[in-house]
Structure formats: structure tokens, C-alpha cells
């Protein structure tokens, strides 16, 4: 069964999204680190890691890894705080091959000097594409005057435009993908590497990686599920017994929120404002002057 997996990884300030054939899981901003990325690829993750955050691949899986962000000659930035190098990436792919974690791997990178990221690859069955050659910048596309930034890179824009026309029954091959963004559109020179890949690119369909179509293996053998169902039933009964023996949970005493909310607010003691007394005296003196005049001031002092 050929399973297609995809990593979509914006390597600067972004929220990573892992797209598997099993579903979609979003990794938080904090989880997107070089270490976590390499651990997911190589399977070196804690046993407590949920299945939704594992790369559940084997030697029959086709894997697509897409990376984009700020980079340079031989490195790509993650969150503008750390970098992954082409040597680290090449070694991770070799570990995947040794552990039989992929059948074929398609690597696409959209960054400045992107071709430098696949120069060190040495594992078999890897096909790599990049948006620019060594010494070239990868330029942006679609500026938004409202926020003053570009919304997408040129290479990513034209690749996405090409892929939107692909359907599960499409016969489009990898040679067509190589031509989607010529230098006249990308300004940079896209590159690709196929010497490690065993098949001819013209015989490799786009849907082998992008289609997410599962191939079903048909068997004529009879599979007995009775034993498994009995095991599941016995384990379910054991769980029920454990729950019955367990002491009921008790919640900690909480604040009487309902009583606090319905309490009437306490009336504050009224005090005249600071200038009130001074203003009152000024009013009394003005009335006195108006009534008796200045000659009666001696009766006040």
C-alpha cells in the first residue's frame, strides 16, 4: 500500500501544518523547531507522542516534504531563531532510508539559494526541487498595499496554480512540474535533482505524491478476527473492573461563586470631594459681600 505523506513547513514566523494521508494536525508555534522536525522524520520521538503527531510511514510510503522560508547557502531558518543545514537534512533522510521509513521521497524547497539544500543528499529514491540556484534570491509575489507585505513567494504561487488543475486521475508527470516556473516568471532559476531517484521522472505521476490516493491490496485469504475481538472484550471488562474498584474522584472545595455573584455591593461611605468645602466657603463669602458689603467684614474675622 503506497501511502502519501506531506509536510508543509513555513520555516520563519509561522504556524506549521502537517498534512498526512490520515488527516490534518496543526503544530503550535512553539513546537516548530529543528529538533522536533528531525525527530518526526526519523521517528526519534517520546513514546507518549500521540499518533496524530507521528510520521506513520514504512518502506511502501511516498513522502512529500515542502519547506519554505528565509535561507541561504546550505541552511534554512526556523522562526528566525535557529537554522537547519543541508548536512543535517541529508543525514535525517539517510536515517529514514536505513529505518525503512519511505519508499520514495519528494523534497521541494522555496528559499534563497534553495539548490544548496539538496547538494548533500546521498540516500536513494529522493527527488528534489528548488526555487533558486546557489547565489540567487527567491523573490516574492502578490504584494498587498493594505498591509505593506508580499503574500506569497513566486515559486510557491506558480506551483500552487499548477497543482490546482491536478485531479486524482491526472496523467501529469514530474517533468511537467519541473517546467511550471521558468526564469521569466520566477526571476530566479529553479533547479531539480533526479540522479538519486531510480525511476525516470517522466514515468512518475504527480499523484504519486500529491494525490493522496491509497492503493488497496486485495487478498483471497480468510482472516479470522474472532481472537482479536475476544481480546478486546476481555480488556474492556478489565477496564470496567478497574473503574469500579477505583475510588470515586473528589473535587477540591471551590469558592462559593454563586453566592459571591449575587451579593449586593457594599455601600461606600460618602465623602465630599476635595474642592467642595473650599467652593462652599467661596459661595458664602460672595453672598455675604453682595448682601452686606465690605464694611461688615469685621464681624467675620
Amino acid at each position: 500500500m503506497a501511502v502519501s505523506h506531506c509536510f508543509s513547513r513555513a520555516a520563519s514566523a509561522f504556524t506549521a501544518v502537517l498534512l498526512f494521508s490520515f488527516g490534518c494536525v496543526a503544530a503550535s508555534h512553539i513546537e516548530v523547531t529543528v529538533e522536533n522536525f528531525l525527530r518526526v522524520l526519523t521517528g526519534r520521538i517520546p513514546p507518549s507522542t500521540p499518533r496524530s503527531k507521528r510520521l506513520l510511514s514504512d518502506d511502501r510510503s511516498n513522502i512529500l516534504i515542502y519547506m519554505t522560508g528565509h535561507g541561504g547557502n546550505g541552511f534554512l531558518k526556523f522562526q528566525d531563531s535557529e537554522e537547519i543545514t543541508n548536512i543535517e537534512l541529508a543525514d535525517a533522510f539517510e536515517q529514514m532510508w536505513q529505518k525503512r521509513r519511505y519508499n520514495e521521497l519528494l523534497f521541494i524547497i522555496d528559499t534563497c539559494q534553495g539548490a544548496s539544500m539538496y547538494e548533500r543528499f546521498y540516500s536513494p529514491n529522493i527527488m528534489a526541487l528548488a526555487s533558486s540556484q546557489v547565489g540567487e534570491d527567491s523573490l516574492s509575489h502578490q504584494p498587498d498595499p493594505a498591509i505593506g507585505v508580499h503574500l506569497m513567494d513566486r515559486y510557491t504561487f506558480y506551483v500552487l496554480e499548477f497543482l490546482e488543475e491536478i485531479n486524482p486521475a491526472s496523467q501529469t508527470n514530474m517533468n511537467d512540474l519541473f517546467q511550471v516556473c521558468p526564469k521569466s516568471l520566477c526571476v530566479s532559476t529553479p533547479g531539480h535533482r533526479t540522479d538519486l531517484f531510480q525511476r525516470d521522472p517522466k514515468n512518475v505521476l504527480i499523484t504519486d505524491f500529491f494525490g493522496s490516493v491509497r492503493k488497496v491490496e486485495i487478498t483471497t485469504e480468510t482472516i479470522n478476527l474472532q481472537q482479536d475481538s475476544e481480546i478486546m472484550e476481555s480488556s474492556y471488562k478489565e477496564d470496567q473492573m478497574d473503574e469500579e474498584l477505583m475510588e470515586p474522584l473528589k473535587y477540591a472545595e471551590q469558592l462559593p461563586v454563586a453566592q459571591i455573584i449575587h451579593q449586593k455591593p457594599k455601600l461606600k461611605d460618602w465623602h465630599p470631594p476635595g474642592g467642595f468645602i473650599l467652593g462652599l466657603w467661596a459661595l458664602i463669602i460672595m453672598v455675604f459681600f453682595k448682601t452686606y458689603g465690605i464694611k461688615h467684614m469685621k464681624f467675620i474675622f
Side-chain angles (χ1 to χ4, degrees):
M1 177 177 63
V3 184
S4 175
H5 301 264
C6 165
F7 280 90
S8 174
R9 184 73 64 159
S12 50
F14 68 101
T15 299
V17 178
L18 305 185
L19 298 176
F20 298 116
S21 63
F22 306 104
C24 175
V25 56
S28 68
H29 185 82
I30 300 174
E31 291 176 321
V32 183
T33 63
V34 173
E35 180 183 357
N36 289 344
F37 175 61
L38 295 178
R39 284 184 178 274
V40 170
L41 291 181
T42 59
R44 300 176 181 270
I45 52 181
S48 59
T49 305
R51 288 174 58 88
S52 59
K53 293 188 178 182
R54 295 173 181 262
L55 180 59
L56 304 174
S57 60
D58 54 26
D59 58 348
R60 295 175 294 178
S61 302
N62 289 347
I63 298 179
L64 163 65
I65 298 179
Y66 184 94
M67 307 181 76
T68 180
H70 296 293
N73 191 353
F75 70 91
L76 179 72
K77 288 185 178 181
F78 271 58
Q79 314 258 26
D80 288 335
S81 60
E82 56 180 346
E83 301 167 352
I84 185 172
T85 65
N86 53 4
I87 298 176
E88 292 173 325
L89 203 56
D91 291 342
F93 290 164
E94 176 61 19
Q95 289 185 48
M96 294 177 69
W97 176 255
Q98 295 295 337
K99 292 181 178 181
R100 302 170 65 89
R101 291 179 60 81
Y102 75 87
N103 172 44
E104 294 176 337
L105 191 149
L106 176 61
F107 176 79
I108 303 177
I109 185 165
D110 185 0
T111 185
C112 297
Q113 309 189 61
S116 64
M117 291 299 293
Y118 59 62
E119 287 180 341
R120 298 298 185 96
F121 291 175
Y122 56 92
S123 305
N125 280 3
I126 297 180
M127 183 185 300
L129 291 85
S131 61
S132 57
Q133 298 292 333
V134 177
E136 291 184 340
D137 293 333
S138 185
L139 303 181
S140 301
H141 190 270
Q142 284 186 314
D144 189 337
I147 58 178
V149 297
H150 290 77
L151 302 179
M152 187 180 293
D153 295 330
R154 284 181 174 269
Y155 185 78
T156 300
F157 174 82
Y158 290 109
V159 169
L160 179 61
E161 187 179 54
F162 169 78
L163 293 175
E164 286 177 344
E165 303 297 326
I166 303 298
N167 58 71
S170 175
Q171 296 299 308
T172 308
N173 59 54
M174 283 297 168
N175 278 341
D176 299 321
L177 182 61
F178 296 159
Q179 310 299 325
V180 296
C181 191
K183 190 172 183 178
S184 58
L185 296 177
C186 277
V187 182
S188 60
T189 308
H192 58 271
R193 182 180 176 185
T194 60
D195 58 298
L196 299 173
F197 207 76
Q198 296 182 0
R199 293 194 290 162
D200 190 336
K202 68 180 181 181
N203 297 326
V204 181
L205 299 179
I206 296 291
T207 52
D208 287 353
F209 295 95
F210 289 94
S212 188
V213 177
R214 297 187 181 186
K215 296 180 180 179
V216 180
E217 293 182 356
I218 301 176
T219 178
T220 57
E221 299 177 0
T222 303
I223 300 176
N224 185 11
L225 301 178
Q226 185 65 27
Q227 185 177 358
D228 294 339
S229 62
E230 291 177 356
I231 294 174
M232 293 179 62
E233 186 177 355
S234 61
S235 62
Y236 176 72
K237 289 180 179 179
E238 290 176 0
D239 293 340
Q240 280 187 328
M241 292 176 64
D242 293 339
E243 291 179 0
E244 292 175 358
L245 295 175
M246 189 182 300
E247 294 182 1
L249 298 176
K250 295 182 179 179
Y251 291 96
E253 294 183 359
Q254 304 292 323
L255 292 173
V257 179
Q259 297 179 13
I260 295 174
I261 293 175
H262 293 90
Q263 283 181 353
K264 294 182 179 180
K266 183 180 178 181
L267 297 177
K268 296 181 179 180
D269 297 333
W270 185 85
H271 296 283
F276 179 77
I277 302 299
L278 182 61
L280 183 61
W281 273 108
L283 180 61
I284 293 173
I285 293 173
M286 289 176 60
V287 172
F288 182 84
F289 282 151
K290 187 172 182 64
T291 306
Y292 300 103
I294 196 170
K295 61 182 181 179
H296 295 91
M297 285 289 292
K298 61 183 180 180
F299 295 107
I300 300 177
F301 301 100

